Amino acid sequence: MTNISSNPRTMPAIEHKLNVTEEEVPEHIRRLAKEQGECQSSKGQTIEQFRSYIIERNECQPHRNDDKYLEKFLRARYWKIENSYKLLCSYYKFREHNKSYYEKVRPLDLRHVGESDILTVTPYRDQHGHRILIYRFGLWRPNRVTVDDIFRATIILQELGSLEPISQIVGGVGIFDLKDLGFEHLLHLSPSVAQKMIALLVTSMPIRTSALHIVNQNWVFNAAFKIFKPFLNAAMREKLYIHGSDMSSLHNHINPEHLPKRYGGLHEDYSYTLWLDMLKEQCSSNNVQKDMEQLGFIFD
């Protein structure tokens, strides 16, 4: 188990641990789930209706159809069966078209991505219960870390997050830190790359992205945004916030006590490699490894 404390006198130790049980869902998150359409008395019936809907439409064949698995797609789309089915099909379409991101991928071999500090997910949650996915694209050296490895690392984080009932209910938020983004990075941001990134963050994973925050953007951002903009639907554009270097603007959305120091917060930076350590140390004890292996990932 990984424990890190940025300041033991003022902050509790930070634990890299997945909250995979329903018992870990706080009462205020349960109330939010109810507002989103989750009803304990009819939950089983709704899941069964969803299962029947999948079989009847027969447009995609999920590798699992047990209650726990189907529930995360329903939560991601506020228990609307038709919308949840569209998400399910989009998810499996993405998997089919990007098999190399799942099949025979060894998550523990992606330490070089973590060591480059290009992306990570916070081991803590913000004031709304979101984990925060942070990209620091200016640190990316394309000759050392491929675009495909960034996608593989992102997918692993997304798949792990989708196992957490809290995250299924509240979703997550993203911070795109574009400090030092340069022309060498822009050369690798094709429409295909943009489409895949939006698929992962918006349309094709069973976990919602509640907001995307752009910070420290420079002149390259305008060119990069032109590539991404066609793939952003109206709903996602409303969740996109551009802050520049004004961290007080970011703080209007995320309380500083839930942010790294570099964004005016209190936390140290927590590396992606710490999540890989968690996978190595803990997964076999709580079925997480089994869930990930069913997706094609390898842990031997």
Side-chain angles (χ1 to χ4, degrees), residues 182-202:
F183 187 69
E184 65 168 320
H185 304 113
L186 188 62
L187 291 175
H188 294 268
L189 295 179
S190 66
S192 174
V193 168
Q195 187 175 25
K196 289 177 183 178
M197 182 64 74
I198 296 303
L200 288 181
L201 297 179
V202 182

Side-chain angles (χ1 to χ4, degrees), residues 215-274:
V215 299
N216 296 322
Q217 73 274 11
N218 59 20
W219 65 272
V220 178
F221 169 72
N222 291 329
F225 189 61
K226 289 180 181 178
I227 300 173
F228 279 84
K229 192 172 182 179
F231 304 108
L232 290 171
N233 59 30
M236 197 63 239
R237 291 181 190 181
E238 292 180 359
K239 299 176 182 178
L240 179 66
Y241 303 95
I242 302 174
H243 304 286
S245 58
D246 182 6
M247 295 306 146
S248 64
S249 174
L250 178 63
H251 298 167
N252 289 331
H253 302 268
I254 305 175
N255 192 302
E257 68 183 76
H258 306 299
L259 284 168
K261 292 178 180 179
R262 69 178 61 257
Y263 307 124
L266 302 179
H267 286 275
E268 303 297 336
D269 295 316
Y270 303 110
S271 172
Y272 178 87
T273 58
L274 294 171

Side-chain angles (χ1 to χ4, degrees), residues 7 14 32 36 54 58 60 82 113 123 127 132 162 175 186 189 195 227 260 263 271:
N7 188 338
I14 295 299
L32 176 62
Q36 293 177 352
I54 294 168
N58 196 33
C60 65
E82 184 176 348
V113 180
Q127 70 271 25
I132 307 170
S162 77
I175 294 177
L186 188 62
L189 295 179
Q195 187 175 25
I227 300 173
Y263 307 124
S271 172

Side-chain angles (χ1 to χ4, degrees), residues 111-120 134-137 139-140 145 262 269-273:
R111 294 191 70 87
H112 64 292
V113 180
E115 290 164 355
S116 298
D117 291 325
I118 302 169
L119 81 158
T120 192
I134 302 173
Y135 288 92
R136 296 170 65 194
F137 283 118
L139 298 180
W140 175 33
V145 178
R262 69 178 61 257
D269 295 316
Y270 303 110
S271 172
Y272 178 87
T273 58

Side-chain angles (χ1 to χ4, degrees), residues 86-103:
K86 289 179 180 178
L87 173 62
L88 182 77
C89 291
S90 179
Y91 171 73
Y92 278 94
K93 183 178 180 181
F94 181 88
R95 280 178 52 85
E96 179 65 25
H97 291 170
N98 299 280
K99 291 181 179 180
S100 67
Y101 295 163
Y102 286 90
E103 295 181 359

Side-chain angles (χ1 to χ4, degrees), residues 71-83:
E71 182 177 28
K72 68 180 182 179
F73 288 90
L74 287 163
R75 279 176 164 165
R77 292 298 182 265
Y78 304 104
W79 293 86
K80 304 294 185 183
I81 288 179
E82 184 176 348
N83 292 344

